[in-house]
Amino acid sequence: MARQERAIRTRRAVIEGAAGVFAERGYAAATMAEILERAGVTKGALYFHFDSKEALARGVIDAQVDPARWAPRDLRLQEWVDVGMTLAHRIPRDVILLAGIRLSADMQGRARFGSAWPAWSGLIAKLVTEAKERGEALPHVNPEETAQCFVGAWIGTQTMSEVESGWKDLHQRISVLYNHVLPAIATPAALIRLDTAPDRGARVLAELDEETDRPFVSAGT
Amino acid sequence: MARQERAIRTRRAVIEGAAGVFAERGYAAATMAEILERAGVTKGALYFHFDSKEALARGVIDAQVDPARWAPRDLRLQEWVDVGMTLAHRIPRDVILLAGIRLSADMQGRARFGSAWPAWSGLIAKLVTEAKERGEALPHVNPEETAQCFVGAWIGTQTMSEVESGWKDLHQRISVLYNHVLPAIATPAALIRLDTAPDRGARVLAELDEETDRPFVSAGT
């Protein structure tokens, strides 16, 4: 294995190990010793990539917004739907996302290591801006406002789904959320072409999996 | 003062005292001694109304959905807007609501004392059902689904506003949320008559205050 490839794998193992510990214990109770053990790498290898627990938390948060999880579509609004629906499908299965949720909800910690919210809202604002330029979104739409509104709505929907069903109904709830928000955003000609069905996320991920042969990071492994 | 009126005032003082302590310390760290001191009532008076800390938490949660804070309107959808906009205006100022947010976010505690979510979503489902019956809402609308979607969105919007501005921009964010959701719900004839301006909550509360001469419970007192 080439040195660079090995470094990428080590970094990934460290991120996954740290995510597992953060997801279970939260930031404050997580120790470098447990993260080391979970990652199965040497202390030297871990510190080569991340020099502190804070840096690890930032690494886990940065790993959340992963463009390999959706694909370019004819409609930018469909890409926005795919971002949210694949995320909804992945959350109960993906330890990096579960860790990110716990870290982002840590009001003390986030002052030090931030949260994934700005990255998600920046991505959505970009997609909605492009949708406007291409005539998919209505002229009055303010992409920044829509992005902030949607990320806020997403966070609360995720919280409710966690409490009510342990995320089992998250894909249904996010589908309902898109159906409530898109009529205020999309032109009728775009609206009719959008696929917001509850199983959209699962289908997009299956399609990407076939293409890339890259399995998910499972919370169970 | 008649005995019944005195009992109502005592109960109110206890709820407000408990809310203040829950809002600051959370459920687990709150003590009956501190609640007693904050409420300024006798131990006998407190236990006459609430026989445990758990019962107090339920009392605070039940006090959140207070129909005296909005008024009947020609359009049921306007009542729904008023419920959300008055809540957005009151949150930074109202210790009972701040306590309710903290209690509802307490994943351990909520198994024992519940949360205000079912009451809010029940209220919204009722208003949306009536709106459908009166032709204000579109025929495909599922009131229960819309209520769940909105409460989820509301919770996350509130969380984001707390983190980003200490709730200073909550009325603006909730106004934006209604503007994103109502086009999927309201008939055009109802939509054009709805007032979702950011200052809607402040105006409704000022109007009710004039009518009832009943001041808000302030978080600062």
Side-chain angles (χ1 to χ4, degrees):
Chain A
M1 201 185 334
R3 185 175 296 182
Q4 205 192 343
E5 194 186 332
R6 202 159 54 224
I8 290 169
R9 289 205 183 191
T10 302
R11 195 179 187 284
R12 187 78 194 170
V14 171
I15 289 276
E16 282 172 25
V21 179
F22 288 144
E24 279 167 38
R25 306 207 189 291
Y27 180 78
T31 64
M32 289 300 257
E34 193 176 1
I35 291 170
L36 260 178
E37 198 197 317
R38 193 81 65 102
V41 300
T42 66
K43 201 168 177 174
L46 187 151
Y47 280 95
F48 174 76
H49 292 283
F50 301 98
D51 62 1
S52 64
K53 196 167 79 166
E54 216 173 287
L56 269 169
R58 268 194 294 271
V60 168
I61 283 170
D62 290 345
Q64 284 196 83
V65 183
D66 176 357
R69 304 305 186 150
W70 55 91
R73 304 287 171 190
D74 282 348
L75 292 175
R76 287 297 176 273
L77 293 180
Q78 186 66 58
E79 284 185 45
W80 173 26
V81 171
D82 289 358
V83 167
M85 294 304 294
T86 55
L87 201 56
H89 184 79
R90 285 165 59 210
I91 276 185
R93 298 162 178 82
D94 188 326
V95 73
I96 291 176
L97 294 177
L98 294 175
I101 288 170
R102 183 135 188 200
L103 291 172
S104 293
D106 180 336
M107 297 293 166
Q108 274 86 52
R110 58 185 298 137
R112 283 192 278 170
F113 47 71
S115 88
W117 299 354
W120 287 119
S121 66
L123 171 65
I124 295 168
K126 180 178 158 285
L127 290 171
V128 174
T129 300
E130 289 173 16
K132 268 186 81 171
E133 286 161 6
R134 296 156 69 108
E136 299 167 27
L138 298 162
H140 70 272
V141 170
N142 176 335
E144 187 50 46
E145 206 175 75
T146 294
Q148 288 274 320
C149 174
F150 187 78
V151 171
W154 211 98
I155 293 164
T157 304
Q158 182 276 115
T159 303
M160 248 184 132
S161 172
E162 178 183 4
V163 169
E164 304 275 340
S165 77
W167 296 297
K168 277 197 188 68
D169 65 8
L170 184 57
H171 60 296
Q172 279 147 342
R173 287 180 186 265
I174 297 296
S175 164
V176 168
L177 177 61
Y178 276 113
N179 290 345
H180 275 77
V181 165
L182 282 166
I185 303 300
T187 56
L191 205 52
I192 199 172
R193 291 164 62 203
L194 293 174
D195 176 0
T196 61
D199 68 343
R200 174 74 192 173
R203 280 186 279 116
V204 170
L205 288 167
E207 174 196 326
L208 291 175
D209 241 15
E210 274 171 29
E211 281 173 23
T212 62
D213 201 29
R214 179 187 177 189
F216 307 132
V217 181
S218 164
T221 57
Chain B
M1 201 181 342
R3 186 175 294 181
Q4 204 191 345
E5 194 186 332
R6 204 158 51 221
I8 290 169
R9 290 203 182 192
T10 302
R11 197 178 185 284
R12 188 79 193 169
V14 171
I15 291 275
E16 283 172 25
V21 179
F22 288 143
E24 280 167 38
R25 309 208 186 291
Y27 180 78
T31 65
M32 289 300 258
E34 194 177 0
I35 292 170
L36 260 179
E37 197 196 318
R38 194 81 65 103
V41 302
T42 66
K43 200 167 177 174
L46 187 150
Y47 280 95
F48 175 76
H49 292 284
F50 301 97
D51 62 2
S52 65
K53 196 166 78 163
E54 216 173 286
L56 269 169
R58 269 194 293 271
V60 169
I61 282 171
D62 291 344
Q64 282 195 83
V65 183
D66 176 357
R69 304 305 187 149
W70 57 90
R73 304 287 173 191
D74 282 348
L75 293 175
R76 287 296 175 275
L77 293 181
Q78 186 66 57
E79 285 185 46
W80 173 26
V81 171
D82 289 358
V83 167
M85 294 303 295
T86 55
L87 200 56
H89 184 79
R90 285 166 57 208
I91 276 186
R93 297 163 179 81
D94 189 324
V95 74
I96 290 176
L97 295 177
L98 293 176
I101 289 170
R102 184 134 187 199
L103 291 171
S104 293
D106 181 336
M107 298 291 166
Q108 275 85 52
R110 58 185 298 136
R112 281 193 279 169
F113 48 70
S115 89
W117 300 354
W120 287 119
S121 66
L123 171 64
I124 294 169
K126 181 178 158 282
L127 290 171
V128 174
T129 301
E130 289 173 15
K132 268 186 81 170
E133 286 161 6
R134 295 157 69 107
E136 300 167 28
L138 297 162
H140 70 273
V141 170
N142 175 334
E144 187 51 45
E145 206 175 74
T146 294
Q148 287 274 322
C149 174
F150 188 78
V151 171
W154 211 99
I155 292 164
T157 305
Q158 182 276 114
T159 304
M160 249 186 135
S161 172
E162 178 183 3
V163 169
E164 304 274 341
S165 76
W167 295 297
K168 275 197 188 67
D169 63 9
L170 183 57
H171 60 296
Q172 278 147 344
R173 286 180 186 266
I174 297 298
S175 163
V176 167
L177 176 62
Y178 276 113
N179 290 345
H180 276 77
V181 166
L182 282 166
I185 303 300
T187 57
L191 205 52
I192 198 172
R193 290 165 62 202
L194 293 173
D195 176 2
T196 61
D199 68 343
R200 173 73 191 174
R203 280 185 280 118
V204 170
L205 288 166
E207 175 197 324
L208 290 175
D209 241 16
E210 274 171 29
E211 280 173 23
T212 63
D213 201 30
R214 180 187 178 190
F216 308 133
V217 182
S218 165
T221 57

